[in-house]
Amino acid sequence: MLEWMAQHAALWPAALLLVWGGLLALAEARWPRRPGTAQVRTRWPVNLGLYAAGAAVLASGLLQPLEQAALQLGSRLGAHGIAGLPWPDTAKIALGVLAIDAVQYLLHRLSHAVPLLWRLHQVHHADIAMDVSTSVRHHPLEVAVLLLLTLVACAALGVPVVSLLLYLALQVTHTVFCHANLALPPRLDAALRWIFVTPDMHRIHHSRIEAEGQRNFGMVLPWWDWLLRSYQAQPRTPHERMGLGLDDADPTRDLGWWGSLALPLKRLGSAADTARAPKHKPD
Protein backbone atom coordinates (compact mmCIF):
# COMPACT_ATOMS: atom_id res chain seq x y z
CA MET A 1 0.00 0.00 0.00
CA LEU A 2 2.72 2.46 0.99
CA GLU A 3 4.71 1.57 -2.12
CA TRP A 4 1.65 2.30 -4.26
CA MET A 5 1.16 5.63 -2.46
CA ALA A 6 4.75 6.58 -3.15
CA GLN A 7 4.50 5.68 -6.84
CA HIS A 8 1.23 7.57 -7.32
CA ALA A 9 1.87 10.54 -5.05
CA ALA A 10 0.63 12.92 -7.74
CA LEU A 11 -2.66 11.06 -8.23
CA TRP A 12 -4.21 9.82 -4.99
CA PRO A 13 -4.06 13.15 -3.08
CA ALA A 14 -6.11 14.77 -5.85
CA ALA A 15 -8.64 11.92 -5.76
CA LEU A 16 -8.84 12.11 -1.97
CA LEU A 17 -9.29 15.86 -2.19
CA LEU A 18 -12.08 15.51 -4.73
CA VAL A 19 -14.06 12.88 -2.81
CA TRP A 20 -13.59 14.30 0.70
CA GLY A 21 -14.03 17.88 -0.50
CA GLY A 22 -17.28 16.95 -2.23
CA LEU A 23 -18.65 15.36 0.94
CA LEU A 24 -17.71 18.38 3.05
CA ALA A 25 -19.20 20.74 0.46
CA LEU A 26 -22.51 18.93 0.87
CA ALA A 27 -22.16 19.09 4.65
CA GLU A 28 -21.44 22.81 4.74
CA ALA A 29 -24.42 23.45 2.46
CA ARG A 30 -26.59 21.59 4.97
CA TRP A 31 -24.99 22.95 8.19
CA PRO A 32 -23.27 26.27 7.34
CA ARG A 33 -21.39 28.14 10.06
CA ARG A 34 -21.81 31.45 8.27
CA PRO A 35 -25.04 32.24 6.41
CA GLY A 36 -24.44 32.19 2.66
CA THR A 37 -21.09 31.87 0.98
CA ALA A 38 -19.95 34.95 -0.91
CA GLN A 39 -19.74 34.77 -4.70
CA VAL A 40 -19.59 30.99 -5.00
CA ARG A 41 -19.95 31.11 -8.80
CA THR A 42 -16.89 33.32 -9.16
CA ARG A 43 -14.76 32.17 -6.23
CA TRP A 44 -14.86 28.43 -6.79
CA PRO A 45 -13.58 28.54 -10.41
CA VAL A 46 -10.75 30.83 -9.28
CA ASN A 47 -9.79 28.66 -6.31
CA LEU A 48 -9.99 25.42 -8.26
CA GLY A 49 -8.11 27.05 -11.13
CA LEU A 50 -5.26 28.00 -8.81
CA TYR A 51 -5.15 24.42 -7.56
CA ALA A 52 -4.99 23.14 -11.14
CA ALA A 53 -2.12 25.53 -11.90
CA GLY A 54 -0.17 24.33 -8.86
CA ALA A 55 -0.84 20.68 -9.69
CA ALA A 56 0.36 21.29 -13.25
CA VAL A 57 3.62 22.75 -11.97
CA LEU A 58 4.22 19.71 -9.75
CA ALA A 59 3.24 17.23 -12.46
CA SER A 60 5.39 18.90 -15.12
CA GLY A 61 8.62 17.53 -13.68
CA LEU A 62 10.22 20.98 -13.73
CA LEU A 63 10.81 20.81 -9.99
CA GLN A 64 12.46 17.38 -9.96
CA PRO A 65 16.06 18.68 -10.17
CA LEU A 66 15.31 21.17 -7.40
CA GLU A 67 13.62 18.48 -5.31
CA GLN A 68 16.70 16.25 -5.60
CA ALA A 69 18.96 19.17 -4.71
CA ALA A 70 16.75 19.98 -1.70
CA LEU A 71 16.94 16.39 -0.47
CA GLN A 72 20.72 16.30 -0.90
CA LEU A 73 21.11 19.59 0.95
CA GLY A 74 18.88 18.38 3.74
CA SER A 75 20.83 15.14 4.05
CA ARG A 76 24.08 17.08 4.38
CA LEU A 77 22.61 19.34 7.05
CA GLY A 78 21.67 16.37 9.21
CA ALA A 79 23.79 13.25 8.97
CA HIS A 80 21.72 11.56 11.65
CA GLY A 81 18.06 11.96 12.34
CA ILE A 82 14.78 10.38 13.29
CA ALA A 83 15.13 7.42 10.91
CA GLY A 84 18.40 6.46 12.61
CA LEU A 85 17.09 6.42 16.16
CA PRO A 86 17.25 3.05 17.99
CA TRP A 87 13.48 3.05 18.40
CA PRO A 88 10.70 0.82 17.06
CA ASP A 89 9.58 1.76 13.55
CA THR A 90 6.14 2.83 14.74
CA ALA A 91 7.66 5.30 17.21
CA LYS A 92 9.96 6.76 14.55
CA ILE A 93 7.07 7.10 12.10
CA ALA A 94 4.92 8.85 14.71
CA LEU A 95 7.78 11.19 15.63
CA GLY A 96 8.29 11.89 11.94
CA VAL A 97 4.65 12.92 11.52
CA LEU A 98 4.95 15.26 14.52
CA ALA A 99 8.16 16.73 13.11
CA ILE A 100 6.57 17.42 9.72
CA ASP A 101 3.62 19.18 11.32
CA ALA A 102 6.00 21.31 13.40
CA VAL A 103 7.89 22.21 10.22
CA GLN A 104 4.62 23.16 8.54
CA TYR A 105 3.70 25.38 11.48
CA LEU A 106 7.05 27.17 11.32
CA LEU A 107 6.87 27.60 7.54
CA HIS A 108 3.38 29.01 7.92
CA ARG A 109 4.61 31.57 10.42
CA LEU A 110 7.49 32.45 8.12
CA SER A 111 5.02 32.92 5.27
CA HIS A 112 3.46 35.72 7.31
CA ALA A 113 6.73 37.15 8.64
CA VAL A 114 8.97 37.19 5.55
CA PRO A 115 7.79 39.71 2.91
CA LEU A 116 8.92 37.58 -0.06
CA LEU A 117 6.92 34.60 1.21
CA TRP A 118 3.96 36.77 2.22
CA ARG A 119 3.62 38.11 -1.33
CA LEU A 120 2.82 34.57 -2.39
CA HIS A 121 0.88 33.46 0.68
CA GLN A 122 -1.43 36.48 0.57
CA VAL A 123 -3.16 34.90 -2.44
CA HIS A 124 -4.57 32.30 -0.05
CA HIS A 125 -5.75 34.99 2.36
CA ALA A 126 -7.24 37.13 -0.40
CA ASP A 127 -10.32 34.90 -0.51
CA ILE A 128 -13.28 37.01 0.63
CA ALA A 129 -14.99 33.97 2.17
CA MET A 130 -13.88 30.65 3.58
CA ASP A 131 -15.17 27.24 2.55
CA VAL A 132 -13.79 23.96 1.24
CA SER A 133 -12.56 25.65 -1.96
CA THR A 134 -10.32 27.99 0.06
CA SER A 135 -8.22 25.00 1.08
CA VAL A 136 -6.79 24.70 -2.46
CA ARG A 137 -6.40 28.43 -3.10
CA HIS A 138 -2.62 28.79 -3.24
CA HIS A 139 -0.31 30.51 -5.70
CA PRO A 140 1.58 27.90 -7.80
CA LEU A 141 4.91 29.46 -6.83
CA GLU A 142 4.05 29.17 -3.14
CA VAL A 143 3.25 25.49 -3.66
CA ALA A 144 6.67 24.97 -5.24
CA VAL A 145 8.64 27.03 -2.69
CA LEU A 146 7.04 25.42 0.36
CA LEU A 147 7.49 21.95 -1.10
CA LEU A 148 11.21 22.52 -1.53
CA LEU A 149 11.61 24.02 1.95
CA THR A 150 9.67 21.11 3.45
CA LEU A 151 11.90 18.59 1.69
CA VAL A 152 15.05 20.29 2.97
CA ALA A 153 13.72 20.33 6.53
CA CYS A 154 12.45 16.74 6.47
CA ALA A 155 15.68 15.41 4.99
CA ALA A 156 17.71 17.31 7.57
CA LEU A 157 15.59 15.82 10.36
CA GLY A 158 15.82 12.33 8.90
CA VAL A 159 12.06 11.95 8.64
CA PRO A 160 11.07 8.45 7.44
CA VAL A 161 9.47 8.32 3.99
CA VAL A 162 6.47 6.52 5.52
CA SER A 163 5.89 9.55 7.76
CA LEU A 164 5.86 11.82 4.72
CA LEU A 165 3.22 9.70 2.97
CA LEU A 166 1.06 9.42 6.07
CA TYR A 167 1.29 13.14 6.75
CA LEU A 168 0.40 13.93 3.15
CA ALA A 169 -2.82 11.94 3.49
CA LEU A 170 -3.53 13.55 6.86
CA GLN A 171 -2.89 17.07 5.64
CA VAL A 172 -4.95 16.70 2.45
CA THR A 173 -7.86 15.40 4.51
CA HIS A 174 -7.54 17.96 7.26
CA THR A 175 -6.94 21.12 5.22
CA VAL A 176 -10.32 20.71 3.51
CA PHE A 177 -11.99 20.12 6.88
CA CYS A 178 -10.46 23.11 8.68
CA HIS A 179 -11.43 25.50 5.86
CA ALA A 180 -15.01 24.23 5.64
CA ASN A 181 -17.90 26.59 6.39
CA LEU A 182 -19.22 23.93 8.72
CA ALA A 183 -21.11 24.43 11.97
CA LEU A 184 -19.88 21.96 14.56
CA PRO A 185 -21.68 21.51 17.90
CA PRO A 186 -19.73 23.56 20.49
CA ARG A 187 -18.89 20.50 22.59
CA LEU A 188 -17.58 18.63 19.55
CA ASP A 189 -15.50 21.63 18.48
CA ALA A 190 -14.03 21.93 21.99
CA ALA A 191 -13.19 18.22 22.09
CA LEU A 192 -11.61 18.17 18.63
CA ARG A 193 -9.38 21.14 19.48
CA TRP A 194 -7.38 18.94 21.80
CA ILE A 195 -6.18 16.98 18.74
CA PHE A 196 -6.95 18.89 15.52
CA VAL A 197 -7.31 22.44 14.28
CA THR A 198 -11.05 23.00 13.79
CA PRO A 199 -12.81 25.26 11.25
CA ASP A 200 -13.70 27.82 13.93
CA MET A 201 -10.11 27.88 15.12
CA HIS A 202 -8.65 28.32 11.64
CA ARG A 203 -11.25 30.89 10.56
CA ILE A 204 -9.76 33.32 13.08
CA HIS A 205 -6.50 33.11 11.13
CA HIS A 206 -8.36 34.34 8.02
CA SER A 207 -9.78 37.39 9.81
CA ARG A 208 -9.41 40.85 8.26
CA ILE A 209 -8.22 42.07 11.66
CA GLU A 210 -4.43 42.01 11.50
CA ALA A 211 -3.83 40.83 15.07
CA GLU A 212 -6.14 37.85 14.53
CA GLY A 213 -4.39 36.92 11.29
CA GLN A 214 -1.26 36.40 13.38
CA ARG A 215 -2.95 33.66 15.39
CA ASN A 216 -3.69 29.95 14.93
CA PHE A 217 -0.98 28.98 12.45
CA GLY A 218 -1.37 25.26 13.11
CA MET A 219 -1.74 23.14 10.00
CA VAL A 220 -3.14 19.94 11.52
CA LEU A 221 -2.26 19.86 15.23
CA PRO A 222 -3.12 22.78 17.54
CA TRP A 223 -0.31 22.05 20.01
CA TRP A 224 2.31 24.30 18.42
CA ASP A 225 0.01 27.31 18.77
CA TRP A 226 -0.42 26.50 22.46
CA LEU A 227 3.30 26.02 23.07
CA LEU A 228 4.39 29.11 21.12
CA ARG A 229 1.55 31.31 22.38
CA SER A 230 -0.11 31.98 19.04
CA TYR A 231 -3.45 30.42 19.99
CA GLN A 232 -6.70 32.39 20.05
CA ALA A 233 -9.91 30.63 21.03
CA GLN A 234 -12.51 33.02 19.57
CA PRO A 235 -12.57 36.06 17.28
CA ARG A 236 -13.42 39.55 18.49
CA THR A 237 -16.47 39.59 16.22
CA PRO A 238 -18.77 36.53 16.21
CA HIS A 239 -17.97 34.00 13.50
CA GLU A 240 -21.21 34.73 11.66
CA ARG A 241 -20.27 38.39 11.14
CA MET A 242 -16.46 38.51 11.18
CA GLY A 243 -14.77 39.91 8.09
CA LEU A 244 -12.51 37.60 6.08
CA GLY A 245 -9.74 38.35 3.60
CA LEU A 246 -6.97 40.93 3.34
CA ASP A 247 -7.40 43.99 5.52
CA ASP A 248 -6.49 46.40 2.69
CA ALA A 249 -8.61 44.83 -0.07
CA ASP A 250 -12.21 45.29 -1.21
CA PRO A 251 -14.16 42.75 0.89
CA THR A 252 -16.83 42.40 -1.81
CA ARG A 253 -14.64 41.91 -4.88
CA ASP A 254 -12.85 38.70 -5.83
CA LEU A 255 -9.56 39.18 -7.68
CA GLY A 256 -10.24 36.58 -10.35
CA TRP A 257 -7.78 33.96 -11.56
CA TRP A 258 -5.38 36.23 -13.42
CA GLY A 259 -5.59 38.85 -10.69
CA SER A 260 -4.73 36.24 -8.07
CA LEU A 261 -1.73 35.01 -10.05
CA ALA A 262 -0.52 38.57 -10.55
CA LEU A 263 -1.19 39.72 -6.97
CA PRO A 264 2.40 39.17 -5.72
CA LEU A 265 3.77 41.22 -8.63
CA LYS A 266 1.19 43.97 -8.37
CA ARG A 267 2.08 44.51 -4.77
CA LEU A 268 5.81 44.31 -5.45
CA GLY A 269 7.61 47.36 -4.09
CA SER A 270 4.46 48.77 -2.50
CA ALA A 271 3.72 49.43 1.14
CA ALA A 272 1.87 46.12 1.17
CA ASP A 273 5.18 44.25 0.86
CA THR A 274 5.53 44.64 4.59
CA ALA A 275 1.84 44.90 5.26
CA ARG A 276 0.16 42.10 7.06
CA ALA A 277 2.70 39.86 8.74
CA PRO A 278 5.25 42.43 9.95
CA LYS A 279 2.44 44.62 11.27
CA HIS A 280 0.80 41.82 13.24
CA LYS A 281 1.19 42.29 16.95
CA PRO A 282 0.03 39.89 19.64
CA ASP A 283 -2.82 41.21 21.73
Side-chain angles (χ1 to χ4, degrees):
M1 180 63 178
L2 291 173
E3 182 179 351
W4 182 90
M5 291 175 67
Q7 292 176 351
H8 300 85
L11 176 62
W12 64 263
L16 178 60
L17 191 67
L18 178 64
V19 175
W20 180 234
L23 292 174
L24 283 177
L26 294 174
E28 66 180 8
R30 177 65 177 83
W31 300 287
R33 184 66 167 95
R34 291 161 58 88
T37 302
Q39 302 183 14
V40 170
R41 293 183 178 180
T42 56
R43 288 178 47 257
W44 275 57
V46 171
N47 294 350
L48 294 177
L50 288 171
Y51 172 75
V57 170
L58 297 181
S60 67
L62 294 175
L63 293 180
Q64 287 185 356
L66 293 176
E67 291 173 3
Q68 293 298 322
L71 289 172
Q72 292 176 4
L73 175 61
S75 298
R76 292 174 182 174
L77 292 174
H80 304 284
I82 295 173
L85 292 173
W87 293 2
D89 288 344
T90 53
K92 291 189 289 186
I93 291 170
L95 181 59
V97 170
L98 287 175
I100 300 170
D101 196 64
V103 166
Q104 293 302 298
Y105 170 88
L106 293 174
L107 288 178
H108 194 182
R109 291 203 72 161
L110 286 175
S111 294
H112 282 255
V114 178
L116 283 173
L117 294 177
W118 171 246
R119 292 175 192 166
L120 299 174
H121 186 57
Q122 66 184 332
V123 174
H124 178 66
H125 282 271
D127 203 348
I128 59 176
M130 196 175 100
D131 55 29
V132 294
S133 74
T134 309
S135 65
V136 296
R137 181 189 174 99
H138 294 280
H139 197 284
L141 289 180
E142 182 189 25
V143 174
V145 169
L146 292 185
L147 171 62
L148 296 175
L149 291 177
T150 299
L151 289 177
V152 170
C154 288
L157 293 171
V159 172
V161 175
V162 176
S163 298
L164 283 168
L165 294 174
L166 292 177
Y167 187 81
L168 178 58
L170 180 62
Q171 186 180 41
V172 168
T173 304
H174 183 267
T175 190
V176 183
F177 167 71
C178 75
H179 286 92
N181 179 30
L182 186 61
L184 297 178
R187 287 187 178 182
L188 177 59
D189 179 84
L192 287 176
R193 286 192 189 202
W194 287 101
I195 306 174
F196 298 114
V197 174
T198 66
D200 274 13
M201 180 180 169
H202 189 67
R203 190 177 298 106
I204 296 169
H205 180 67
H206 280 257
S207 171
R208 288 175 62 86
I209 299 175
E210 291 183 14
E212 293 185 337
Q214 189 72 353
R215 302 289 185 158
N216 300 354
F217 291 99
M219 300 299 289
V220 175
L221 306 174
W223 309 331
W224 318 117
D225 282 303
W226 301 347
L227 291 172
L228 298 175
R229 304 180 65 182
S230 57
Y231 175 71
Q232 181 170 331
Q234 296 297 334
R236 298 177 184 176
T237 306
H239 284 278
E240 294 81 1
R241 302 197 309 271
M242 65 182 294
L244 302 176
L246 298 176
D247 60 341
D248 57 349
D250 184 347
T252 65
R253 180 177 176 272
D254 187 79
L255 292 170
W257 191 73
W258 285 110
S260 297
L261 286 177
L263 181 60
L265 296 177
K266 286 183 178 179
R267 300 165 76 86
L268 189 64
S270 71
D273 283 351
T274 56
R276 184 160 189 157
K279 285 163 53 182
H280 279 317
K281 301 292 183 183
D283 293 339

